Amino acid sequence: MGEADTTAAPDRRLRSLDPATGNLVAELPLHAPAEVGEAVHRARRAAEYWSELPWQERRRALLRWAAHLVRDADALCALVHAENGKPADDAYLELALALGHIRWAARHAGRAVAARRVAPGTLMANFQARVERRPLGVVGVIGPWNYPVNTPIGSIAYALAAGNTVVFKPSEHTPAVGRFCVEAFTAANPGLPVGVLGAVFGEGGTGAALVASAVDLIAFTGSAATGRKVMASAAERLTPVLLELGGKDPVIVAADADVESAAEAVAWGAMSNAGQTCIGVERVYVERSVAGRFHAALRDELRDIRAGGAYGPMTVPEQVDVVRRHLVGALEAGGTALVGGPDALRPPYIDPIVLVDVPESHPAMQEETFGPLVVVRTVDDVEQAVQLANGTRFGLGATVFSRRHGLAIARRLRCGTVSVNAMLAYAAIPALPFGGMGDSGFGRIHGLEGLHAFTRTQALARRRFPIPGMTLPTFRRGPGTMRLLRAALNRLHGHAR
Ligand code: NDP
């Protein structure tokens, strides 16, 4: 890959800053591609040991990790607050989600990798057929800064539970959080060989080096733009990729919704974490008959919500520019502000912004804003809401508020996951697979599908005994065998029953 900024002088350091104050939070080594290669090599050696452990042993190691993170929760949350900017309570909520994933993956990996016998079929009746799942080997996990604990752990825990070792590259904006999580695993499991879970630190170039390295899978979470680069680079070695990318998640508020509870949920879903959530609410489609009530309820919900209180600053300064571009452009294109407006931009803080009447084709309706800005649009009916909800290139999550038709509407949405009558509920259920389609990526993490994603399937066919005269793959096959085969095919397939 091109941007090899990690080839710089070996004494270069990676510095993370507090987004609220600009103060230095941590200084870490900046790993060059050669060091990334060494980390992968260590993980490869450790995989020989880790993959051979009974899954119950891996479960114990993962649960010890979780217990260690709980013990040090306050220190971890303080670090998340410092590097990412989110309030410590939100960091604690994030940790709760991550712990749920560690426990779920640890406890279900045995079932997920259990061998399965399948019927061999009449012509192969003398065979035993099995489907087995094996670890892939070494998994490279690349994580973003917005949920620096839950997002990577949502891949790491499943990869480890399935028997892989992991090299983790945290975002350059939250490297100390990444290091904390990795060191907690090592401290909780001092008897394990080095390299079961390792980390490399750096900027995009370090991630690029990990993608180009000899890993067996890349589990990438980040933007669609970087996801494309990752996939193109991984194609060089035909390394498989799991891509968890951005979103433009819609909410549908139907006429039979509990409108006040929908407004409460949208306020939080759009603004919490300063809107820097891949499954955050960016668009709302409200049926005309309840639109007025919804607007009023949403205004009420947000009346006292301010950045720097209810949620933190923008973690990355460039993100303020994206929000500004979408806001200014949407207002110029005819949109109006229901809550906030240009004054809401007080970098690094952005107060809640709600826009209405923004043309559907505008970037504010089509591109990921990734800030505390949501656009609400009135629609004639649910049919139109579904059409518009499905009208972007993204397809990650969605939410539907409807007392009677929630699931039916949800099934019509072109996306990976939907929450009905609650906000982001699926994200708190580790058994549910998570992932998107289109520009939101592909593949699934979490749940059984998430465990399967970190295994390779091996098919095994074992002959138990020969059937005289019915051996097909041999040059000794004679006319008698072919007569038997013709008779068998007639009986097996010569009818439409
Ligand atoms: P980026 O795509 O900028 O970065 C993601 C990670 O990739 C970072 O660790 C980054 O390193 C690294 N990286 C950058 N360039 C390369 C490269 N060429 N090759 C390999 N790795 C590289 O995303 P953000 O960190 O800005 O995260 C925000 C995005 O993540 C949003 O689009 C959001 O929607 C999405 N996201 C998706 C989630 C999901 O599950 N679907 C969950 C959370 C976020 P560095 O930071 O050091 O540059």
Coordinates of all heavy atoms in Angstrom, one line a residue, residues 266-316:
V266 N -34.6 9.0 19.4 CA -33.8 9.7 18.4 C -32.9 10.7 18.9 O -31.7 10.8 18.5 CB -34.8 10.4 17.4 CG1 -34.1 11.3 16.5 CG2 -35.5 9.3 16.5
A267 N -33.3 11.5 20.0 CA -32.4 12.5 20.6 C -31.1 11.8 21.0 O -30.0 12.3 20.7 CB -33.1 13.1 21.8
W268 N -31.2 10.7 21.7 CA -30.0 10.0 22.2 C -29.3 9.3 21.0 O -28.1 9.4 20.9 CB -30.4 8.9 23.2 CG -29.3 8.3 23.8 CD1 -28.4 8.8 24.8 CD2 -28.8 7.0 23.5 NE1 -27.4 7.8 25.1 CE2 -27.6 6.7 24.3 CE3 -29.2 6.0 22.6 CZ2 -26.9 5.6 24.2 CZ3 -28.4 4.8 22.5 CH2 -27.3 4.6 23.3
G269 N -30.0 8.6 20.1 CA -29.4 7.9 19.0 C -28.6 8.8 18.1 O -27.7 8.4 17.5
A270 N -29.1 10.1 18.0 CA -28.4 11.0 17.0 C -27.3 11.7 17.7 O -26.3 12.1 17.1 CB -29.4 12.0 16.5
M271 N -27.4 12.1 19.0 CA -26.5 13.0 19.6 C -25.4 12.3 20.5 O -24.4 12.9 20.7 CB -27.2 14.0 20.4 CG -28.3 14.7 19.7 SD -27.7 15.5 18.1 CE -29.3 15.9 17.3
S272 N -25.8 11.2 21.1 CA -24.8 10.6 22.1 C -23.5 10.3 21.3 O -23.5 10.1 20.1 CB -25.4 9.3 22.7 OG -25.6 8.4 21.7
N273 N -22.4 10.3 22.1 CA -21.1 10.1 21.5 C -20.8 11.2 20.4 O -20.0 11.0 19.5 CB -20.9 8.7 20.9 CG -19.5 8.2 21.0 OD1 -18.8 8.4 22.0 ND2 -19.0 7.6 20.0
A274 N -21.5 12.4 20.6 CA -21.3 13.5 19.6 C -21.7 13.0 18.2 O -21.1 13.5 17.2 CB -19.9 14.1 19.7
G275 N -22.6 12.1 18.1 CA -23.0 11.6 16.8 C -22.0 10.7 16.1 O -22.2 10.3 14.9
Q276 N -20.9 10.4 16.8 CA -19.8 9.7 16.1 C -20.0 8.2 16.4 O -19.2 7.5 17.0 CB -18.4 10.1 16.7 CG -18.2 11.6 16.6 CD -17.1 12.2 17.4 OE1 -16.1 12.7 16.9 NE2 -17.1 12.0 18.7
T277 N -21.1 7.7 15.8 CA -21.5 6.3 16.0 C -21.8 5.7 14.7 O -22.7 6.3 14.0 CB -22.7 6.2 17.0 OG1 -22.3 6.9 18.2 CG2 -23.1 4.8 17.3
C278 N -21.2 4.6 14.3 CA -21.5 4.1 13.0 C -23.0 3.8 12.8 O -23.5 3.9 11.7 CB -20.7 2.8 12.7 SG -20.9 1.5 13.9
I279 N -23.7 3.4 13.9 CA -25.1 3.1 13.8 C -25.9 4.2 14.5 O -27.0 4.0 14.9 CB -25.4 1.7 14.5 CG1 -24.7 1.6 15.9 CG2 -25.1 0.5 13.6 CD1 -25.0 0.4 16.7
G280 N -25.3 5.4 14.5 CA -26.0 6.6 15.0 C -27.1 7.0 14.0 O -27.1 6.7 12.8
V281 N -28.1 7.7 14.6 CA -29.3 8.1 13.7 C -28.8 9.3 12.9 O -28.4 10.3 13.5 CB -30.5 8.5 14.6 CG1 -31.6 9.0 13.7 CG2 -30.9 7.3 15.4
E282 N -29.0 9.3 11.6 CA -28.6 10.4 10.8 C -29.9 10.9 10.0 O -29.9 12.1 9.5 CB -27.5 10.1 9.8 CG -26.2 9.6 10.6 CD -24.9 10.2 10.0 OE1 -25.0 10.7 8.9 OE2 -23.9 10.1 10.7
R283 N -30.9 10.1 9.8 CA -32.1 10.5 9.1 C -33.3 9.9 9.8 O -33.3 8.8 10.3 CB -32.1 9.9 7.6 CG -30.9 10.2 6.8 CD -30.9 9.4 5.5 NE -30.6 8.0 5.7 CZ -31.1 7.1 4.9 NH1 -31.9 7.4 3.9 NH2 -30.8 5.8 5.1
V284 N -34.4 10.8 9.8 CA -35.6 10.3 10.4 C -36.7 10.6 9.4 O -36.9 11.7 8.9 CB -35.9 11.1 11.7 CG1 -37.2 10.5 12.4 CG2 -34.7 11.0 12.7
Y285 N -37.6 9.6 9.2 CA -38.7 9.7 8.3 C -40.0 9.5 9.1 O -40.2 8.5 9.7 CB -38.7 8.7 7.2 CG -37.4 8.9 6.3 CD1 -36.3 8.0 6.4 CD2 -37.3 10.0 5.4 CE1 -35.2 8.2 5.7 CE2 -36.2 10.2 4.7 CZ -35.1 9.3 4.8 OH -34.0 9.5 4.0
V286 N -40.8 10.6 9.2 CA -42.0 10.6 10.1 C -43.2 10.7 9.3 O -43.3 11.6 8.4 CB -41.9 11.8 11.1 CG1 -42.9 11.6 12.3 CG2 -40.6 12.1 11.6
E287 N -44.2 9.9 9.6 CA -45.5 10.0 8.9 C -46.2 11.3 9.2 O -46.1 11.8 10.4 CB -46.4 8.8 9.3 CG -46.2 7.6 8.3 CD -47.3 6.6 8.3 OE1 -48.3 6.8 7.6 OE2 -47.3 5.7 9.1
R288 N -46.8 11.9 8.2 CA -47.3 13.2 8.2 C -48.2 13.5 9.4 O -48.1 14.5 10.1 CB -48.1 13.6 6.9 CG -48.4 15.0 6.8 CD -49.0 15.3 5.4 NE -48.1 14.9 4.3 CZ -46.9 15.6 3.9 NH1 -46.6 16.7 4.6 NH2 -46.2 15.1 2.9
S289 N -49.1 12.5 9.8 CA -50.1 12.7 10.8 C -49.5 12.9 12.2 O -50.1 13.4 13.1 CB -51.1 11.5 10.8 OG -50.4 10.3 11.1
V290 N -48.2 12.4 12.4 CA -47.6 12.6 13.7 C -46.4 13.5 13.6 O -45.6 13.7 14.6 CB -47.2 11.2 14.3 CG1 -48.5 10.5 14.7 CG2 -46.3 10.4 13.4
A291 N -46.1 14.1 12.5 CA -44.9 14.9 12.3 C -44.8 16.1 13.3 O -43.8 16.3 13.9 CB -44.7 15.4 10.9
G292 N -45.9 16.8 13.4 CA -45.9 18.0 14.3 C -45.6 17.6 15.7 O -44.7 18.2 16.4
R293 N -46.2 16.5 16.2 CA -46.0 16.0 17.6 C -44.5 15.6 17.7 O -43.9 15.8 18.8 CB -46.9 14.9 17.9 CG -48.1 15.2 18.7 CD -49.0 14.1 18.9 NE -48.4 13.0 19.7 CZ -48.8 11.7 19.5 NH1 -49.7 11.3 18.6 NH2 -48.2 10.8 20.3
F294 N -44.0 14.9 16.7 CA -42.6 14.4 16.8 C -41.7 15.6 16.9 O -40.7 15.6 17.7 CB -42.3 13.5 15.6 CG -40.9 13.0 15.6 CD1 -40.6 11.9 16.5 CD2 -39.9 13.6 14.9 CE1 -39.3 11.4 16.5 CE2 -38.6 13.1 15.0 CZ -38.3 12.0 15.8
H295 N -41.8 16.6 16.0 CA -41.0 17.8 16.0 C -40.9 18.4 17.4 O -39.9 18.7 18.0 CB -41.4 18.8 15.0 CG -41.2 18.4 13.6 ND1 -41.5 19.3 12.5 CD2 -40.6 17.3 13.1 CE1 -41.2 18.7 11.4 NE2 -40.7 17.5 11.7
A296 N -42.1 18.6 18.0 CA -42.2 19.3 19.3 C -41.5 18.4 20.4 O -40.8 18.9 21.2 CB -43.7 19.5 19.6
A297 N -41.8 17.1 20.3 CA -41.2 16.2 21.3 C -39.7 16.2 21.2 O -38.9 16.2 22.2 CB -41.8 14.8 21.2
L298 N -39.2 16.2 20.0 CA -37.7 16.1 19.8 C -37.1 17.4 20.3 O -36.0 17.4 20.9 CB -37.4 15.9 18.3 CG -35.9 15.7 17.9 CD1 -35.3 14.5 18.7 CD2 -35.8 15.4 16.4
R299 N -37.7 18.6 20.0 CA -37.2 19.9 20.5 C -37.1 19.9 22.0 O -36.2 20.3 22.6 CB -38.1 21.0 20.0 CG -37.5 21.9 19.0 CD -38.2 23.2 18.8 NE -39.6 23.1 18.8 CZ -40.4 23.3 17.7 NH1 -39.9 23.6 16.6 NH2 -41.7 23.1 17.8
D300 N -38.2 19.3 22.6 CA -38.2 19.2 24.1 C -37.1 18.4 24.6 O -36.4 18.8 25.6 CB -39.5 18.6 24.6 CG -40.6 19.6 24.8 OD1 -40.4 20.8 24.5 OD2 -41.7 19.2 25.2
E301 N -36.9 17.3 24.0 CA -35.8 16.3 24.4 C -34.5 17.0 24.4 O -33.6 16.7 25.2 CB -35.8 15.1 23.5 CG -36.9 14.1 23.7 CD -36.8 13.4 25.1 OE1 -35.7 13.3 25.7 OE2 -37.9 13.0 25.6
L302 N -34.2 17.8 23.4 CA -32.9 18.4 23.2 C -32.7 19.8 23.8 O -31.6 20.3 23.7 CB -32.6 18.5 21.7 CG -32.5 17.1 21.0 CD1 -32.4 17.2 19.5 CD2 -31.2 16.3 21.5
R303 N -33.8 20.3 24.4 CA -33.7 21.7 24.9 C -32.5 21.9 25.8 O -31.8 22.9 25.6 CB -35.0 22.0 25.7 CG -35.0 23.4 26.3 CD -36.4 23.9 26.6 NE -37.2 24.0 25.4 CZ -38.4 23.4 25.2 NH1 -38.9 22.7 26.2 NH2 -39.1 23.6 24.1
D304 N -32.2 21.0 26.7 CA -31.1 21.2 27.6 C -29.8 20.4 27.3 O -28.9 20.3 28.1 CB -31.5 20.9 29.1 CG -32.7 21.8 29.4 OD1 -32.7 23.0 29.0 OD2 -33.6 21.3 30.1
I305 N -29.8 19.8 26.2 CA -28.7 18.9 25.8 C -27.6 19.8 25.2 O -27.8 20.4 24.2 CB -29.1 17.8 24.9 CG1 -30.2 16.9 25.5 CG2 -27.9 16.9 24.5 CD1 -29.8 16.2 26.8
R306 N -26.4 19.7 25.8 CA -25.3 20.5 25.2 C -24.0 19.6 25.1 O -23.8 18.8 26.0 CB -24.9 21.7 26.1 CG -26.0 22.8 26.1 CD -26.0 23.6 24.8 NE -27.1 24.5 24.7 CZ -28.4 24.2 24.3 NH1 -28.6 22.9 23.9 NH2 -29.3 25.1 24.4
A307 N -23.2 19.9 24.1 CA -21.9 19.3 24.0 C -21.1 19.8 25.2 O -21.2 20.9 25.6 CB -21.3 19.6 22.7
G308 N -20.2 18.9 25.7 CA -19.4 19.3 26.9 C -20.1 18.9 28.1 O -19.6 19.0 29.2
G309 N -21.4 18.5 28.1 CA -22.2 18.1 29.2 C -22.7 16.7 29.0 O -22.1 15.7 29.4
A310 N -23.8 16.6 28.2 CA -24.4 15.3 27.9 C -23.5 14.4 27.1 O -23.5 13.2 27.2 CB -25.7 15.5 27.2
Y311 N -22.7 15.0 26.2 CA -21.7 14.3 25.4 C -20.5 15.1 25.2 O -20.5 16.3 25.6 CB -22.3 13.8 24.1 CG -22.9 14.9 23.2 CD1 -22.0 15.6 22.3 CD2 -24.2 15.2 23.2 CE1 -22.5 16.6 21.5 CE2 -24.7 16.2 22.4 CZ -23.9 16.9 21.5 OH -24.3 17.9 20.7
G312 N -19.4 14.5 24.7 CA -18.1 15.2 24.6 C -17.9 16.0 23.4 O -18.8 16.2 22.6
P313 N -16.6 16.3 23.2 CA -16.2 17.1 22.0 C -16.1 16.1 20.8 O -16.2 14.9 20.9 CB -14.8 17.6 22.4 CG -14.3 16.5 23.3 CD -15.5 16.1 24.1
M314 N -15.9 16.7 19.6 CA -15.6 15.9 18.4 C -14.2 15.3 18.7 O -13.3 16.1 19.0 CB -15.6 16.7 17.2 CG -17.0 17.4 16.9 SD -18.4 16.2 16.9 CE -18.2 15.5 15.3
T315 N -14.0 14.0 18.5 CA -12.8 13.4 18.8 C -11.7 13.9 17.8 O -10.5 14.1 18.2 CB -12.9 11.9 18.7 OG1 -14.0 11.5 19.6 CG2 -11.6 11.2 19.2
V316 N -12.1 14.0 16.5 CA -11.1 14.3 15.5 C -11.5 15.7 14.9 O -12.6 15.9 14.4 CB -11.1 13.3 14.4 CG1 -10.1 13.5 13.3 CG2 -10.9 11.9 15.0

